[in-house]
Amino acid sequence: RQNGFTHLLAIGKHRAPGRLRLDEGSVGSGYLKGIGFYIDNDFATKRSDTGETARGFIAPYVYIRLVLVDLDSLELRGEEAITASAVRSAARNKTGFDPWGAISPEEKVAMLRALLEERISVAVPLLFRSK
């Protein structure tokens, strides 16, 4: 408040059942939390662009919670949970069948960044509308 800020936006981990969206539904078991990569070595996948099939996939995911605090009153103004993922078939791997190699390190960062930017840009305006 001393620096003229009116609100604080805090970002923390959100824990929820892992539901990774595929073209024909979703897959996943257990819970996901935070930001990371879900890897499945056995699930049969198919590339949507070529029809090529493979075993396994990698899915960058973002499971976070946004909390908005009004600094004048120190009251919670709103919170939004974000759960997002992007599944890539192991068929994209040019060096073998390991799902981790299906996307390059640069693509991994870019995919996480895109998930964050897309979902946060939708969630933040909702926070300011709540309460």
Side-chain angles (χ1 to χ4, degrees), residues 20-27 43-48:
L20 308 164
R21 288 188 194 101
L22 301 169
D23 290 340
E24 302 92 26
S26 66
V27 66
F43 189 84
T45 59
K46 182 167 94 173
R47 284 183 65 159
S48 57

Side-chain angles (χ1 to χ4, degrees), residues 58-95:
I58 182 172
Y61 68 85
V62 173
Y63 278 54
I64 60 174
R65 178 172 302 284
L66 304 179
V67 177
L68 184 66
V69 177
D70 183 319
L71 291 178
D72 285 334
S73 64
L74 296 179
E75 291 183 6
L76 177 68
R77 175 124 184 211
E79 36 184 321
E80 287 287 327
I82 295 175
T83 59
S85 63
V87 174
R88 286 284 182 97
S89 169
R92 293 184 181 269
N93 189 349
K94 306 288 188 248
T95 62

